[in-house]
Amino acid sequence: MGRAPCCDQTSVKRGPWSPEEDATLRSYLERHGISGNWIALPQKAGLKRCGKSCRLRWLNYLRPNIKHGGFTQEEDNIIFSLYKSIGSRWSIIASQLHGRTDNDVKNYWNSKLKKKILTAGETNTRHFAPDPTADFHFVSPSPPPPPQPQVPTIKSEAFLSSSLPPGCFDFNIPCILHSYQTPPILQQLPADVVAIGYNTPPVAEDASVGSAASSSVTTDNTGDASFLSELESSWTDLLLASFSEGGHQLPAAQEIGFLTNGEMI
DNA sequence: AACCGTTCCAACCGCATGTGG
DNA sequence: GCCACATGCGGTTGGAACGGT
């Protein structure tokens, strides 16, 4: 006995949507909005479609400001960076790209971008068509180089979170970006560090700095590092974690350690 | 022109998660 | 806390379009 279908499969139309159906759905939603019940919508709108199908059609195709096809290099970079960090969380990835749907991003990844990256990998390209003007550059998943010798911070610059890819922050806060050649000395971190991490052997097993078993060190000013626990340890991951945690109580100013196997992103 | 393989994308399916009673 | 239902999400599929032979 399988799962019960969400609607009567015999009385609903399936397959491609006709222009008339699109117009009916669009017109209904423009008049009534998405009032919270997709299941009841088809009947109210006079459509012989499953509610889930209506929802999908609206979200992926009819919704205003949807972009189709023509992904830019910058979008490629963002998709790859996020995929590398969080995997196939298409809705999250899509939320970082204005006007893109999860379905679109997923299709694009499966049909084009994955092959593009594999091709780039075969040619042993360290960087995948980096865009020098982009805020966010992608680093190909090549094996990490040997650990670097301990040297102090080599670069520090201020930036606004709004200069990061769209959606990373829903608010605009000043940040200070430090680049390290090696993991920072934890004891010297300022009190308002939100998240730090490194991808070399951990130096401390301490409740305030997270789990050594994950090969990462995390901390935040709220004392709650759990939101980072499932992420793989790399500075890229931690940067994204910090930026995607809009619900966290972030201080007015942040310091975020940032290391990518010795490379700046 | 006909056939065949490939690509691309809209749509479906079913599980996971959220929410209200 | 439990249950039922709605919604969200990611994997998969079907078929149209396209290109090569």
Side-chain angles (χ1 to χ4, degrees):
Chain A
M1 193 72 168
R3 182 189 175 84
C6 67
C7 51
D8 182 0
Q9 301 284 313
T10 60
S11 65
V12 297
K13 186 174 176 235
R14 299 171 66 190
W17 281 65
S18 68
E20 291 75 24
E21 288 176 309
D22 281 348
T24 302
L25 179 59
R26 184 184 284 116
S27 159
Y28 181 85
L29 288 169
E30 281 171 357
R31 275 184 284 120
H32 300 93
I34 304 167
S35 51
N37 193 341
W38 286 104
I39 300 297
L41 184 145
Q43 195 178 6
K44 290 180 184 172
L47 286 163
K48 293 189 182 330
R49 289 277 181 175
C50 172
K52 282 178 81 167
S53 179
C54 292
R55 175 183 163 272
L56 211 61
R57 185 63 177 171
W58 172 256
L59 292 177
N60 288 341
Y61 199 82
L62 298 175
R63 191 160 49 110
N65 305 321
I66 290 285
K67 281 196 284 182
H68 291 286
F71 280 75
T72 66
Q73 185 63 58
E74 187 179 358
E75 286 175 316
D76 285 2
N77 291 338
I78 292 169
I79 293 168
F80 180 80
S81 294
L82 288 169
Y83 186 89
K84 180 166 166 277
S85 296
I86 61 175
S88 57
R89 308 283 296 278
W90 302 118
S91 60
I92 294 173
I93 295 173
S95 71
Q96 311 303 311
L97 304 166
H98 289 313
R100 300 295 187 185
T101 69
D102 56 349
N103 211 32
D104 241 6
V105 174
K106 178 173 58 182
N107 282 333
Y108 180 59
W109 173 265
N110 286 331
S111 63
K112 292 180 186 170
L113 196 52
K114 194 159 63 178
K115 291 170 194 164
K116 199 171 170 182
I117 287 158
L118 284 174
T119 304
E122 282 166 8
T123 57
N124 201 26
T125 308
R126 176 76 180 131
H127 285 89
F128 171 70
D131 174 0
T133 64
D135 294 327
F136 215 67
H137 293 172
F138 117 16
V139 179
S140 66
S142 53
Q148 300 293 312
Q150 296 269 338
V151 294
T153 300
I154 58 168
K155 184 176 180 181
S156 176
E157 62 180 286
F159 67 98
L160 289 173
S161 58
S162 58
S163 67
L164 290 158
C168 280
F169 276 118
D170 290 327
F171 43 89
N172 188 22
I173 58 171
C175 304
I176 300 168
L177 173 63
H178 290 305
S179 160
Y180 296 94
Q181 286 293 338
T182 60
I185 301 167
L186 298 176
Q187 292 80 352
Q188 294 181 353
L189 288 171
D192 63 349
V193 166
V194 168
I196 60 162
Y198 62 91
N199 52 6
T200 53
V203 298
E205 180 88 28
D206 181 307
S208 67
V209 293
S211 162
S214 67
S215 295
S216 68
V217 170
T218 63
T219 184
D220 70 357
N221 67 315
T222 67
D224 175 14
S226 61
F227 72 98
L228 295 170
S229 62
E230 290 181 13
L231 292 169
E232 291 179 9
S233 55
S234 77
W235 286 99
T236 312
D237 294 337
L238 291 167
L239 182 70
L240 291 167
S242 305
F243 293 164
S244 62
E245 284 296 316
H248 261 69
Q249 292 176 1
L250 300 174
Q254 316 274 327
E255 288 209 8
I256 300 167
F258 194 77
L259 176 74
T260 58
N261 296 330
E263 278 194 41
M264 279 295 295
I265 288 185

